[in-house]
Each structure stands twice: as structure tokens, then as C-alpha cells.
């Protein structure tokens, strides 16, 4: 099946299903839930990393790219998982974390022991003449991005946690080692690869200080050399398989660069994730802040990216949720009264757009953020650091907690809610993160009498059967509407108008004259009357098709 017809599902293995009662999800757990996944009719599953790791950043700190962490299972379990999914018509996408390794990785350990070959795998730099750190760069998880490496007298770069050391991609041996990892997993039948923060690999060899008032990330993010690195990796590994599917996680990228990353003739990647739309509830671009989402800005971004990528022949991954984001329902929908309708509305927005939709586990049953009342419930290193930093900068404990609660990554990492029991049917042990709302939101109830899962099935079916959804062009609909985000899709003579009400109040949309004769392809409310003044109920989506 063509990429444009496919839908990808994301599983956070630690939280999907625990088969052995240790409170942590595992591969055998996933194998036992394949029938559920099959019902959705998804084409591929992206798994967050389950390689050997000290788990300081939940597996994004890899100590061995070639082995499965025993917490998650064995290589035999993995092989069985691939084979069983294949039999169900589902492909596997693995998470390749190549910007950094764990400091427990053999390469770093050798560097630490003074082995020069491996010292060249990382950014090792001496202190400045005045004894201060080699650069003033900030870690994305807080604090300086450089730390001393043993007693070598040198410092190493870590853009994330101090236990995640940045690899130096200038070194061809590093790039070859990464291609080798990809090829190892390809030999195991893997055809999908997600490349973690791949556009921060293009640092310059000289780690220059960021001028005062300039964020250090602007110096190393999305630089031109990343295109060269990707072309090389493509040629040396996944590009040899015409059916491979790849996605790059692109921090603060641009439309222009994203076209470059994904235009088929460039031989870089199949598609990219960008995050601009998920920053529309950040005050002045600061994640650890709180505000209602800026709807006009959200529309501008969704529209600008869809139109820009279409015009330039690029391809985007479409998503609201992942393991790094609070649940979209709490941010852009309504986690309470209109949970069901707003879940369907948000799904409509991305599934009928041009690009490849990603579903993050639990989204298809309308999962929302957990209700935690103390920091003791949170596990993520980023949230714990942010809380401390907020308090240090003068926020009261209460205010700091309120901010962390709205933005913490743990919000989406809580266990998949299979049923209404105290452990949500996820484990027989003590779940590593506590579920709090499984009584009202769980798979058993959803499949029994819910409508969200069924609505996702319809959206996925439409993409597979309607060329206008998979391959139609994208066109802007009125950007000035105060509460509706709409867009056109077009293929030959056919036109599809998708209208989405982002608010809990009803509204009316003036339809273009010709559309009064359109048929209702899909809506999350029954009995839509197509007329010049089209009524939209709270969080209603309507897709109108004109042949
Ligand atoms: C990506 C991952 C995130 C991780 C970070 C560092 O953003 O999605 O979970 O913490 O990279 O690897």
C-alpha cells in the first residue's frame, strides 16, 4: 500500500501491557494485544526504544543498540512480535536514537578510559582559558550542556540529560556505526525507522558560545549539513529498501528544510514531525508556562504547513499526541463534557489532511491527562527538573506544580487503560505510573458502547479507500473564522471540504454555493443538513464531498 494511504500507531512499550506483573509493559504484553491493534486497521507501529538502557530518559539513553532491555523481553520475543505483526499485516517502526548514547554505552566507557578512537565519537572539549565550561550552551533538560568526563580534564557535550552524551557526526565512523545499527534491524524484518531529534546532529565542530539573549539551540538546530547526513544514511541503509518508511523528529524546523528532508527526489526521509502547532499554548515560546491555546495561531500553523509542504512536494507526519506531549484533549479539546466529540473532531482534522496520520496509544479511546495531586506521582526527569527550576526562579510550590501538571510528559505515559479495575487491566503488579481515570475511560467500555474507536476506524477506512484523502492537494479555507478550522482537499474534479468546530458552542458556516449539493462523507454528529448556512454543533466535524 502507498505511504499516503497508511496510518501509523505509536506504542510506548513501558505503558502498553504488562505480561509478567512487574508493573512495566513488555513485548509479550504487546504480542497478546495484537487483535486489538488489528481491529483499528493500522499499517505500522512505531515503538519507543526498548533497547538496553539505564532508563534515565526512559530508553532514550541507549547503552546497546543491538539488544533488547531485559525489562521488555528478549530477542526471541522481538522476533515473535515482528512475525505476528507481519501476519496481521502490520509493519514495525523502531526508534533510532543517534544524536546521543547513554554514558553507559561501551563507546562512551572507552572514551572515558582514554581510548582516543572513541573519544572522537563524542564532543570532548577542554575548558576555556579562564577555566570556565567550553561553551555556555544549555541542556534541554535544564542546566549546562557540558559536563566533565572522568578525570580526563575534558568536558563532553550533552544536549539532554548528563547521562546522554552527544555523538559527533563529523566523524565518519560514527555515521557508519549508525547505518550498521539500522541494517541490523532491517535484517530482522524492520521496515520503519523513526530518527530521534535527528536535526540537532549538525553541530559545528567548534562549539561557539551563544551570544547573550540568544538561545543556544539556534546555533545547532536544523543546519544544512543534516541533509548530507540523511542522504548518506539513506544510501547506506534503509534507502536500499523501496518499502521502507522513515520519519525524522525535527526540532524547531522550517517548512523549507522539511521539504528538503522529505522530497522523494532528495532521498532523505519519507516524512517529518514538526512541533510548531504544539507550542500554541506556550507563553512566549516557553514550555513551562500555562495558557489556553491560541486558536488563530494554531490554524495559521496547521494551514501554513499543509499548504507549504504540498506546494513544495514535501510530506508531513500528522499528529496531536506522542510520549512527549500532554494529551491533546486537555489542550485543544475538552477533557470533560465534550471529551468524546472533541476527540473525534481532533482526529478528523489530521486524518483527512495531506500527510501520514499517527495515532498515539489511547487516543483512539479518548484518553486524557491523569489527575495527580503531588509531584510524587511524576517520574520524568524533565518534569522533576522543571519543577525545581520553576521554584528556584520564584514560583510558589503550588504554581510550579500547576504548570508542571499541564505540561509534563508523564501525562501521556500513563498505562493504557484496558478496563475499569484499579490497575486499569494493565498489570497485576504496581503500575510504574498511576492511572486515575480508567473508571470512565477504558478499552472495554469503549469497544462495548463507545463511539471514538469506531470513528477512528471510519477515518482509517476512508484514507485507504478515497484517493482524494490520500493524494488530493490541500487548499486553504477561510482563515478568519473565529471558531472553525476548515480546509479543502481536491483531486481532479472532486472537492472535499472539512470543517471542524474547535469550541463548545454551536456556530454557523456559510457554505460556498456549489457545496450545497455536496454529500456528507463523514460527521461525528448524526443527521447533518447540508444547506447554505451549515450548523455546526459543539466540537462538530463535517466532511462534505462534491463529485
Ligand atoms: C526526543 C524523544 C524524547 C527524548 C529526547 C532525547 O525528543 O522523543 O522522549 O527525551 O528525544 O532523546
Amino acid at each position: 500500500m502507498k505511504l499516503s494511504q497508511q496510518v501509523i500507531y505509536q506504542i510506548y512499550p513501558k505503558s502498553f501491557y504488562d505480561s509478567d506483573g512487574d508493573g512495566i509493559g513488555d513485548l509479550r504484553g504487546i504480542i497478546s494485544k495484537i487483535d486489538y491493534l488489528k481491529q483499528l486497521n493500522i499499517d505500522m507501529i512505531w515503538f519507543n526504544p526498548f533497547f538496553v538502557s539505564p532508563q534515565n530518559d526512559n530508553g532514550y539513553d541507549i547503552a546497546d543498540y543491538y539488544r533488547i532491555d531485559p525489562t521488555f523481553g528478549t530477542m526471541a520475543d522481538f522476533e515473535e512480535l515482528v512475525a505476528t505483526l507481519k501476519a496481521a499485516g502490520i509493519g514495525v517502526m523502531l526508534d533510532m536514537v543517534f544524536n546521543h548514547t547513554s554514558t553507559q554505552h561501551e563507546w562512551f566507557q572507552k572514551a572515558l578510559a582514554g581510548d582516543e578512537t572513541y573519544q572522537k565519537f563524542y564532543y570532548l572539549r577542554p575548558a576555556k582559558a579562564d577555566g570556565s565550561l567550553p561553551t555556555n550552551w544549555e541542556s534541554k533538560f535544564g542546566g549546562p550542556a557540558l559536563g566533565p568526563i572522568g578525570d580526563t580534564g575534558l568536558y563532553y557535550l550533552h544536549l539532554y540529560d548528563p547521562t546522554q552524551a552527544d555523538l559527533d557526526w563529523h566523524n565518519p565512523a560514527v555515521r557508519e556505526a549508525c547505518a550498521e545499527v539500522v541494517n541490523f534491524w532491517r535484517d530482522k524484518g524492520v521496515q520503519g525507522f523513526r530518527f530521534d531529534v535527528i536535526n540537532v546532529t549538525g553541530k559545528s565542530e567548534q562549539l561557539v558560545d551563544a551570544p547573550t539573549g540568544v538561545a543556544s539551540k539556534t546555533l545547532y538546530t536544523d543546519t544544512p549539513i543534516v541533509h548530507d547526513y540523511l542522504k548518506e544514511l539513506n544510501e547506506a541503509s534503509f534507502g536500499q529498501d523501496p518499502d521502507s518508511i522513515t520519519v525524522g523528529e525535527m526540532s524547531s524546523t522550517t517548512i523549507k528544510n522539511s521539504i528538503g528532508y522529505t522530497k522523494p527526489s532528495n532521498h532523505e526521509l519519507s516524512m517529518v514531525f514538526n512541533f510548531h502547532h504544539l507550542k500554541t499554548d506556550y507563553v512566549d515560546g516557553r514550555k513551562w508556562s500555562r495558557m489556553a491555546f491560541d486558536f488563530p495561531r494554531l490554524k495559521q500553523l496547521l494551514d501554513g504547513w499543509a499548504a507549504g509542504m504540498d506546494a513544495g512536494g514535501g510530506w508531513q507526519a500528522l499528529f496531536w499526541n506522542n510520549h512527549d506531549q500532554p494529551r491533546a484533549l486537555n489542550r485543544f479539546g475538552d477533557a470533560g463534557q465534550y471529551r468524546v466529540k472533541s476527540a473525534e473532531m481532533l482526529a478528523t482534522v489530521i486524518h483527512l489532511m495531506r500527510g501520514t496520520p499517527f495515532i498515539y496509544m489511547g487516543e483512539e479511546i479518548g484518553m486524557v491527562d491523569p489527575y495527580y495531586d503531588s509531584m510524587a506521582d511524576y517520574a520524568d526527569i524533565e518534569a522533576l527538573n522543571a519543577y525545581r527550576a520553576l521554584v528556584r526562579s520564584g514560583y510558589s510550590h503550588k504554581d510550579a506544580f500547576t504548570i508542571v501538571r499541564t505540561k509534563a510528559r508523564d501525562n501521556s505515559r500513563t498505562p493504557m487503560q484496558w478496563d475499569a479495575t484499579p490497575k486499569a487491566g494493565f498489570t497485576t503488579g504496581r503500575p510504574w505510573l498511576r492511572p486515575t481515570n480508567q473508571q470512565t475511560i477504558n478499552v472495554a467500555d469503549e469497544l462495548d458502547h463507545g463511539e471514538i474507536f469506531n470513528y477512528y476506524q471510519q477515518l482509517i477506512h476512508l484514507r485507504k479507500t478515497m484517493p482524494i484523502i490520500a493524494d488530493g492537494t490541500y487548499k486553504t479555507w477561510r482563515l478568519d473564522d473565529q471558531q472553525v478550522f476548515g480546509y479543502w482537499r481536491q483531486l481532479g474534479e472532486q472537492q472535499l471540504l472539512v470543517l471542524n468546530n474547535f469550541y463548545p458552542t454551536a456556530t454557523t458556516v456559510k457554505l460556498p454555493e456549489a457545496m450545497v449539493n455536496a454529500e456528507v462523507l463523514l460527521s461525528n454528529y448524526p443527521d447533518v443538513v447540508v444547506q447554505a448556512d451549515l450548523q455546526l454543533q459543539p466540537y462538530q466535524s463535517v466532511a462534505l464531498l462534491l463529485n
Side-chain angles (χ1 to χ4, degrees), residues 474-505:
Y474 175 94
K475 266 192 356 196
T476 303
W477 181 77
R478 303 175 27 193
L479 277 181
D480 58 348
D481 192 286
Q482 302 289 309
Q483 71 179 77
V484 177
F485 171 54
Y487 55 83
W488 293 96
R489 303 294 308 278
Q490 202 169 4
L491 191 71
E493 295 296 295
Q494 238 185 9
Q495 305 234 61
L496 180 68
L497 178 61
V498 184
L499 298 167
N500 308 286
N501 180 4
F502 267 75
Y503 288 91
T505 48

Side-chain angles (χ1 to χ4, degrees), residues 24 43 214 389 409 449 457 547:
I24 295 175
D43 301 281
V214 173
R409 304 192 294 182
H449 54 256
Q457 287 176 314
N547 279 301

Side-chain angles (χ1 to χ4, degrees), residues 57 60 100 141 160 194 196-197 249 323-324 409 413:
D57 185 22
Y60 283 91
H100 43 264
F141 289 165
Y160 296 86
R194 175 223 185 229
D196 189 60
V197 293
E249 187 200 21
H323 65 292
D324 292 329
R409 304 192 294 182
R413 297 178 178 181

Side-chain angles (χ1 to χ4, degrees), residues 275-468:
F275 297 90
H276 297 287
H277 64 300
L278 298 181
K279 297 181 180 171
T280 51
D281 58 358
Y282 288 14
V283 177
D284 301 328
R286 280 179 294 115
K287 168 168 177 168
W288 300 102
S289 63
R290 227 180 131 222
M291 71 173 207
F293 75 104
D294 177 342
F295 181 56
R297 178 100 190 105
L298 177 70
K299 282 194 353 174
Q300 250 171 30
L301 285 163
L302 292 174
D303 176 76
W305 272 81
M309 291 294 269
D310 192 354
W315 194 253
Q316 15 174 21
L318 306 165
F319 69 107
W320 287 114
N321 291 291
N322 70 25
H323 65 292
D324 292 329
Q325 301 288 331
R327 292 276 176 184
L329 282 176
N330 292 71
R331 306 170 75 182
F332 310 105
D334 179 342
Q337 188 187 353
Y338 290 111
R339 182 180 68 86
V340 172
K341 293 300 171 193
S342 63
E344 295 164 351
M345 183 279 289
L346 290 173
T348 310
V349 171
I350 60 171
H351 282 260
L352 300 186
M353 244 193 197
R354 182 178 173 279
T356 297
F358 279 66
I359 302 168
Y360 178 67
M361 62 178 215
E363 192 183 310
E364 73 283 9
I365 61 165
M367 275 180 64
V368 301
D369 290 348
Y371 190 85
Y372 288 164
D373 43 26
S374 101
M375 279 308 293
D377 280 316
Y378 292 86
D380 183 21
I381 180 121
E382 189 201 32
L384 304 177
N385 288 349
Y387 177 75
R388 280 192 293 265
L390 286 167
V391 169
R392 256 200 318 274
S393 72
Y395 282 86
S396 68
H397 286 272
K398 186 163 166 270
D399 290 349
F401 178 64
T402 311
I403 292 176
V404 170
R405 173 194 270 167
T406 54
K407 291 286 163 63
R409 304 192 294 182
D410 289 325
N411 280 316
S412 56
R413 297 178 178 181
T414 55
M416 181 73 177
Q417 294 170 186
W418 296 101
D419 61 35
T421 60
K423 293 167 184 174
F426 162 70
T427 181
T428 53
R430 186 167 180 267
W432 75 279
L433 275 182
R434 190 162 64 84
T436 62
N437 46 40
Q438 72 278 18
Q439 274 183 337
T440 44
I441 308 171
N442 63 71
V443 171
D445 283 353
E446 179 63 32
L447 295 183
D448 191 39
H449 54 256
E451 58 173 63
I452 308 175
F453 188 90
N454 178 267
Y455 192 81
Y456 269 81
Q457 287 176 314
Q458 292 180 56
L459 286 168
I460 295 168
H461 177 74
L462 286 174
R463 175 164 291 268
K464 298 200 186 310
T465 50
M466 303 237 0
I468 191 169

Side-chain angles (χ1 to χ4, degrees), residues 142-185:
L146 282 106
I149 168 162
D151 51 14
T152 60
L154 297 169
Y155 292 81
Y156 70 100
L157 177 69
H158 61 83
L159 291 182
Y160 296 86
D161 188 65
T163 63
Q164 294 167 297
D166 281 55
L167 285 167
D168 184 350
W169 276 62
H170 296 104
N171 182 349
V174 165
R175 306 200 300 272
E176 275 160 32
C178 291
E180 238 168 69
V181 172
V182 175
N183 287 333
F184 173 83
W185 293 104

Side-chain angles (χ1 to χ4, degrees), residues 80-101:
E80 186 180 329
L81 176 65
V82 176
T84 324
L85 283 173
K86 190 170 180 203
I90 302 172
V92 169
M93 173 179 274
L94 291 188
D95 212 320
M96 300 281 105
V97 187
F98 290 154
N99 175 65
H100 43 264
T101 69

